[in-house]
Amino acid sequence: MIILQSRPIVLDPRSGADPCAHCDARPLSVCNAIPDEDLGRLATAAIVTEVAAGSTFIEESEPAHSFFNVTRGTAKLFKLLPDGRRQITGFASVGHFLGLAVSDTYAFSAEAIEPVRLCRFPRARLRKLLHDFPAMEQRLLEVAGNELVAAQEQMLLLGRKTARERLASFLMMQSRQGVACQHHPRTRFALPMTRSDIADYLGLTIETVSRTLTKFRAEGMIEIPGQSEVIVLNRRALESLAGGLA
Amino acid sequence: MIILQSRPIVLDPRSGADPCAHCDARPLSVCNAIPDEDLGRLATAAIVTEVAAGSTFIEESEPAHSFFNVTRGTAKLFKLLPDGRRQITGFASVGHFLGLAVSDTYAFSAEAIEPVRLCRFPRARLRKLLHDFPAMEQRLLEVAGNELVAAQEQMLLLGRKTARERLASFLMMQSRQGVACQHHPRTRFALPMTRSDIADYLGLTIETVSRTLTKFRAEGMIEIPGQSEVIVLNRRALESLAGGLA
DNA sequence: CGGTCACTTGATCGTCTTCAATACCAGTGG
DNA sequence: CCACTGGTATTGAAGACGATCAAGTGACCG
């Protein structure tokens, strides 16, 4: 059993009576399917929870009592083999809904890589919420579809791309993170995860990740000002590499 | 554009006025969310379509006008890289719903590996159907969740398992196919797909697939009476191999 | 400082791929 | 009946990509 630091919803001074109305995650999450006037109900269904960096808040194969919505920070989702081999199936940042890939037990573990804030929804309460707000159910279906598309893309990466192509795909993905509306992906961005996390996400080893990044730098495709920061110098080249063109 | 052989719903003599009521796929598919008395509506929304083995009926990145429900046969779903590398993301057999992983365009291609019969739902009609039958939407969400669980399992396989483990996982998966209620998975079963399909599903080459199967046989774990048939002799060993235990 | 931790770099190794030849099998036509 | 054909599967030998093992670097911190 995992112990989480939960707390009643604290009313932010500026938020008035309704914390959900001012939630950073709302515009990005399934919660935007709920109309403003009903946000009170949403707030009472959610239990705000803080998770320290490095702690696990979902454990694979444990009973799935709750669903989660990430409202701050980033978590990694992963599966383990008995001997410790690990596959990270995704990174969940603000707005991400956890629990779609769930039957009675969780299909994956989740660990915070930065301090994370979550809205936790006990199973029964979410069920009720979905029953009362069909729009939210629709949104969830939409989100699930996107996840499936992403999952299939990742299968292509893991099954058929070379190490260089995987890293290029990863960098392009990261550079697009959180720039939803702009057509200009970031050219400089942070990598909140370690080399080990990147490796386990891409089905490689940390050494290969490190070497390949070094190679990209030597080839003038990127710059690495700090360990966890990247500047893209030649997007064209990286994009075509990511797409599988040489 | 792909041409499909469509036809109006033909009334099976025994089916009376309602073909959906006697559909083989119904107990396995999302259609079972629709009550008997409304099956007429379902039937009018669906367009029955026959696809010959080997023909492609969904093309990646084409506009997603329709969703499909497989009611007979099996199809492979796959993504391609520009140079022809292929990743099969799944096999869709009777009851499988295609179109969850869809935005405006299809995220994958689909090709029949045996003669396939489909119920095709034009986008607008499905939307209407979902609106009128929220239970069907719930079922779809449930199905999407299962797909996501399977996708994550496959990522673990592709990213972290050895060739032997992949084949063992694949064989165990196949032996469980279509034996939903029984606790006894089949010990003898057919593999409707070619070695090439298996390879592209597992992120390997046909040679590795062939060699590994031969090795399994030499080790007394399986028997291969015909090219596309397998008998499991040592399930315990295969199961633990599939799970990553040496 | 000494210690830890994450990352980088180098040398070697092994699994799976690649390339190539052969076997098999179903269908066709002499 | 048997040779011929095309597709599919098996088997062998050589090679490559990424893994493993090992050492070294640098940042951070008590």
Side-chain angles (χ1 to χ4, degrees):
Chain A
M1 186 52 195
I2 303 166
I3 307 301
L4 294 174
Q5 280 200 291
S6 293
R7 48 165 208 182
I9 294 187
V10 174
L11 300 184
D12 185 309
R14 80 202 147 111
S15 75
D18 203 336
C20 287
H22 300 84
C23 175
D24 295 338
R26 185 162 178 243
L28 302 165
S29 85
V30 291
C31 303
N32 64 8
I34 292 189
D36 288 5
E37 57 268 31
D38 292 316
L39 284 182
R41 289 232 10 231
L42 179 61
T44 59
I47 299 162
V48 175
T49 304
E50 308 271 356
V51 178
S55 49
T56 301
F57 60 93
I58 295 179
E59 195 99 44
E60 185 177 352
S61 80
E62 289 210 357
H65 295 308
S66 298
F67 300 86
F68 299 89
N69 209 352
V70 179
T71 58
R72 184 184 299 175
T74 306
K76 57 188 175 200
L77 317 179
F78 58 93
K79 291 173 74 77
L80 292 173
L81 287 172
D83 63 358
R85 279 174 286 173
R86 187 177 65 157
Q87 179 64 40
I88 292 182
T89 57
F91 297 99
S93 53
V94 175
H96 207 101
F97 185 86
L98 300 178
L100 292 167
V102 146
S103 47
D104 289 333
T105 59
Y106 294 115
F108 55 85
S109 302
E111 177 185 326
I113 63 180
E114 325 170 291
V116 159
R117 178 176 296 171
L118 301 164
C119 280
R120 184 162 72 81
F121 297 92
R123 206 184 179 92
R125 283 198 221 173
L126 184 74
R127 192 163 24 228
K128 182 122 186 14
L129 216 49
L130 290 182
H131 178 265
D132 295 349
F133 300 103
M136 191 169 177
E137 193 150 53
Q138 270 175 14
R139 271 289 280 147
L140 271 186
L141 191 54
E142 199 181 312
V143 168
N146 295 338
E147 300 263 309
L148 270 172
V149 172
Q152 293 181 351
E153 189 64 39
Q154 191 68 0
M155 289 188 224
L156 177 62
L157 180 149
L158 292 170
R160 288 304 179 213
K161 290 188 184 177
T162 66
R164 282 172 67 83
E165 290 165 350
R166 293 181 200 202
L167 258 301
S169 303
F170 177 73
L171 290 176
M172 291 302 90
M173 196 196 97
Q174 289 297 312
S175 85
R176 275 190 290 265
Q177 280 295 80
V179 274
C181 284
Q182 280 174 256
H183 268 258
H184 294 292
R186 294 176 184 159
T187 150
R188 179 184 190 131
F189 51 89
L191 302 177
M193 65 291 287
T194 66
R195 295 288 184 272
S196 175
D197 289 340
I198 299 174
D200 284 348
Y201 180 58
L202 299 178
L204 300 169
T205 59
I206 51 173
E207 292 93 332
T208 300
V209 170
S210 181
R211 267 187 260 272
T212 305
L213 288 178
T214 303
K215 202 106 183 294
F216 281 173
R217 192 183 47 190
E219 292 167 356
M221 301 170 86
I222 61 171
E223 204 49 64
I224 309 177
Q227 275 188 172
S228 56
E229 204 167 8
V230 174
I231 302 175
V232 174
L233 298 178
N234 188 346
R235 177 172 302 275
R236 298 279 312 268
L238 282 172
E239 284 286 10
S240 77
L241 191 51
L245 295 162
Chain B
M1 186 52 194
I2 302 168
I3 307 301
L4 293 175
Q5 280 199 290
S6 293
R7 49 165 207 185
I9 293 189
V10 174
L11 300 185
D12 185 310
R14 79 202 146 113
S15 75
D18 204 336
C20 287
H22 300 85
C23 175
D24 295 339
R26 182 160 182 245
L28 302 165
S29 83
V30 291
C31 302
N32 65 8
I34 292 188
D36 288 4
E37 58 268 30
D38 291 317
L39 284 182
R41 289 236 9 234
L42 180 60
T44 60
I47 299 163
V48 175
T49 304
E50 308 271 355
V51 178
S55 50
T56 302
F57 59 94
I58 296 179
E59 195 97 45
E60 184 178 352
S61 81
E62 287 210 358
H65 295 308
S66 298
F67 300 86
F68 299 89
N69 209 353
V70 179
T71 59
R72 184 185 298 175
T74 307
K76 58 189 176 199
L77 317 180
F78 58 95
K79 291 172 75 76
L80 293 172
L81 288 172
D83 63 358
R85 279 174 286 174
R86 187 177 66 157
Q87 178 65 39
I88 292 182
T89 57
F91 297 99
S93 53
V94 175
H96 207 103
F97 185 85
L98 299 180
L100 292 166
V102 147
S103 46
D104 289 332
T105 60
Y106 295 114
F108 55 85
S109 302
E111 178 185 326
I113 62 180
E114 326 170 290
V116 159
R117 177 176 296 171
L118 300 164
C119 279
R120 183 163 72 81
F121 298 92
R123 208 187 178 88
R125 284 198 222 170
L126 185 75
R127 194 167 18 232
K128 183 121 185 11
L129 216 51
L130 291 182
H131 177 266
D132 295 349
F133 300 103
M136 192 169 175
E137 192 150 53
Q138 270 174 15
R139 271 288 280 146
L140 271 185
L141 192 54
E142 200 181 311
V143 168
N146 294 339
E147 299 265 308
L148 270 171
V149 171
Q152 294 181 351
E153 190 65 38
Q154 192 67 0
M155 288 189 224
L156 177 63
L157 180 148
L158 293 170
R160 289 300 179 217
K161 289 188 184 176
T162 65
R164 281 172 68 82
E165 290 164 351
R166 292 180 201 202
L167 257 303
S169 303
F170 177 73
L171 290 176
M172 292 300 91
M173 197 196 98
Q174 289 297 312
S175 85
R176 275 189 290 265
Q177 279 295 82
V179 274
C181 284
Q182 282 176 255
H183 268 260
H184 294 291
R186 296 177 182 157
T187 150
R188 180 186 190 129
F189 51 90
L191 302 177
M193 65 291 287
T194 66
R195 297 284 186 275
S196 174
D197 289 340
I198 299 175
D200 285 348
Y201 181 58
L202 299 178
L204 300 169
T205 59
I206 51 174
E207 293 93 332
T208 301
V209 170
S210 182
R211 269 186 257 272
T212 306
L213 288 178
T214 303
K215 202 108 184 291
F216 282 173
R217 192 184 47 190
E219 293 166 356
M221 301 169 86
I222 61 172
E223 205 48 65
I224 310 178
Q227 274 187 171
S228 57
E229 205 168 5
V230 174
I231 302 174
V232 173
L233 298 178
N234 188 346
R235 177 173 301 275
R236 297 278 316 266
L238 281 173
E239 283 286 10
S240 79
L241 190 52
L245 294 163

